Amino acid sequence: MEAVQKEMTQRKICCVAGARPNFLKVAPLIAQFRRQGDISVYLIHTGQHYDTTMSDAFFEELEIPAPDVHLGVGSGTHGRQTGRIMERMEPILLAEDPELVIVVGDVNSTLAAALVAVKLQIPVAHVEAGLRSFDRTMPEEINRVLTDAISSLLFCTEPAAVENLRREGIGRDKIFLVGNVMIDSLIRRLEKARSSDILGRMGLKPRGYAVLTLHRPSNVDREEAFLKIVQALEVICRDVDVVFPVHPRTRQRIAAGPAGERLGTLAGLHLVEPLGYSDFLKLMMDSCAVLTDSGGIQEETTFLGVPCLTLRNNTERPITLEIGTNRLAGTEPDSILEVWRDLRSGKWKPDGRIPDLWDGRAAERITAVIRRYLGIQG
Ligand code: UD1
């Protein structure tokens, strides 16, 4: 009996997270493996995101266990960040010798970890596989395509992702449509979010404000592009208050140029630090709309039935457009304001459907597949 027990506790996989959206995705997976108890999960934090508000606060709120190791890679150019993660992760995987490495999302940490693992002949499972914007100027698109090409298990959130992978020649037997682990996290925190007092603290009324997030290099790193979005905001802020939790990358840009100066003059714009998860969820669910260039927020607003104006010309998450909560508003003042006016006039009214399998049970489905893959019964 003891021998069997020992044998069971010896199974080990590794899970990698590095940036804020990753933490939301690994949380339900780790919780599910812990509940089952017979596979231990060694958690690597790459340190791509390191500010308290971007990292520690999420670990605490989502009750993610402390990482087994923190690689402390910090910021840098893409090559440097990716290279550092690879260099620091290799000895750890060699020492820990996991049976599988789970990577999530599309950030530099995702690709770096997948590359190290596969070169050590450790199979990789990619959670949130197959999403494609078909825009290779996006660093995330490169991370997605390459990670998928070297993964052994590919877990998809929506049917288009499955089709993309099939088109790229990936075998059916490796692809699993399982739903969305980020929505698992959302569902788990809904009650807590509902009781957040963020609206009171900020003096906001339900539906009387919009939420803005902006961090994509193509929108904030070029002053000219950033100014165009600010121009649209000048009009939107005349209609409603806008709450803007500012990502560190964007904070630097705001401090550096005229777009930031103009933002500072907008009455009705609330510039705030990055928020905790429950507060941010509450802000989204009670807003009249969300304006964003994030990927994950397009999905969260779809689940919440909140209109989302995506400040990009493409999306890797087409189901959000099909359902109708999301519209591509582009990055020009005219295109953004056209969608905004459609919303204000009632011409655009999302009907609040939720995509199949976005039901809070994606982590269960993923762990079941992984257990089968590792030959574990039950
Ligand atoms: C990364 C991801 C992006 C994801 C986003 C979520 C890549 C290529 N991009 O973008 O897909 O949507 O995270 O937030 O992986 N910084 C801090 N403190 C932090 C983190 C970042 O000050 O805790 C600053 C650094 O100066 C850094 C800059 O923000 O240079 C950008 O950080 P980085 O991790 O390179 O990319 P993100 O823009 O956060």
Side-chain angles (χ1 to χ4, degrees):
M1 180 66 192
E2 230 170 66
V4 174
Q5 195 68 32
K6 190 154 178 277
E7 170 89 352
M8 280 172 70
T9 53
Q10 271 172 351
R11 308 303 294 259
K12 188 200 287 176
I13 64 173
C14 172
C15 188
V16 183
R20 184 171 57 177
N22 291 170
F23 308 140
L24 294 166
K25 293 167 196 164
V26 298
L29 288 169
I30 293 175
Q32 182 65 18
F33 278 119
R34 283 193 143 193
R35 262 192 295 277
Q36 291 163 345
D38 52 356
I39 300 179
S40 81
V41 180
Y42 185 90
L43 178 59
I44 301 181
H45 188 325
T46 66
Q48 176 171 348
H49 284 176
Y50 44 90
D51 284 358
T52 306
T53 54
M54 301 292 283
S55 174
D56 302 1
F58 279 76
F59 272 72
E60 221 166 276
E61 212 179 334
L62 298 166
E63 296 167 34
I64 307 171
D68 293 283
V69 65
H70 193 294
L71 303 182
V73 297
S75 308
T77 60
H78 286 267
R80 186 161 188 190
Q81 193 173 56
T82 310
R84 272 191 188 160
I85 298 169
M86 292 181 67
E87 196 174 10
R88 294 182 191 181
M89 189 169 300
E90 189 171 56
I92 291 162
L93 290 189
L94 279 169
E96 294 300 324
D97 193 24
E99 293 181 57
L100 178 88
V101 171
I102 302 178
V103 298
V104 297
D106 56 12
V107 301
N108 288 340
S109 300
T110 311
L111 172 62
L115 268 174
V116 174
V118 81
K119 290 202 172 205
L120 293 173
Q121 297 180 25
I122 303 169
V124 173
H126 184 204
V127 174
E128 204 185 82
L131 297 179
R132 297 289 181 267
S133 64
F134 304 102
D135 172 5
R136 292 214 174 173
T137 64
M138 267 181 100
E140 293 83 358
E141 182 74 353
I142 308 292
N143 294 339
R144 292 180 199 119
V145 169
L146 295 180
T147 303
D148 287 341
I150 55 177
S151 293
S152 298
L153 297 173
L154 298 103
F155 295 110
C156 298
T157 50
E158 57 171 288
V162 175
E163 283 163 35
N164 292 334
L165 293 174
R166 293 293 290 143
R167 213 178 306 118
E168 288 169 23
I170 294 173
R172 252 246 158 260
D173 54 328
K174 292 180 171 184
I175 305 171
F176 303 88
L177 183 63
V178 289
N180 194 325
V181 278
M182 203 184 52
I183 301 300
D184 288 12
S185 270
L186 188 158
I187 290 172
R188 226 146 281 164
R189 305 314 287 180
L190 260 185
E191 275 317 305
K192 183 99 190 298
R194 285 199 183 106
S195 60
S196 156
D197 61 354
I198 181 90
L199 267 63
R201 278 188 275 139
M202 296 194 65
L204 300 166
K205 295 243 154 26
R207 314 288 156 223
Y209 66 92
V211 178
L212 168 71
T213 83
L214 212 55
H215 75 282
R216 216 148 275 294
S218 57
N219 280 340
V220 299
D221 287 3
R222 278 187 309 120
E223 197 61 34
E224 193 195 341
F226 197 177
L227 272 169
K228 285 183 179 172
I229 293 174
V230 173
Q231 233 175 296
L233 278 177
E234 286 170 345
V235 177
I236 293 169
C237 279
R238 282 186 222 134
D239 291 344
V240 292
D241 277 13
V242 175
V243 184
F244 182 9
V246 185
H247 187 283
R249 167 193 288 284
T250 314
R251 172 78 60 197
Q252 291 163 14
R253 306 310 307 172
I254 288 178
E261 267 168 43
R262 268 170 77 173
L263 270 183
T265 66
L266 291 185
L269 182 74
H270 306 249
L271 289 175
V272 297
E273 290 298 313
L275 293 167
Y277 184 57
S278 303
D279 284 345
F280 188 64
L281 261 186
K282 172 72 171 174
L283 259 193
M284 283 197 293
M285 69 173 81
D286 280 359
S287 68
C288 67
V290 175
L291 296 99
T292 190
D293 61 5
S294 149
I297 291 174
Q298 297 171 48
E299 297 180 339
E300 290 169 334
T301 47
T302 288
F303 183 85
L304 296 171
V306 173
C308 177
L309 287 80
T310 294
L311 306 177
R312 292 170 45 188
N313 295 312
N314 55 50
T315 179
E316 58 288 329
R317 293 161 159 93
I319 192 116
T320 61
L321 301 178
E322 277 161 39
I323 296 271
T325 41
N326 187 17
R327 280 188 56 184
L328 292 178
T331 53
E332 294 292 328
D334 284 351
S335 61
I336 298 169
L337 291 174
E338 191 187 325
V339 180
W340 179 251
R341 287 190 193 108
D342 280 356
L343 178 72
R344 299 297 288 173
S345 67
K347 202 169 147 194
W348 169 34
K349 218 175 186 175
D351 68 8
R353 279 181 302 133
I354 294 173
D356 285 348
L357 302 177
W358 291 19
D359 58 359
R361 302 185 63 181
E364 271 175 53
R365 296 185 192 101
I366 291 170
T367 55
V369 172
I370 288 177
R371 295 171 70 81
R372 263 203 316 276
Y373 182 81
L374 297 177
I376 299 173
Q377 303 299 320

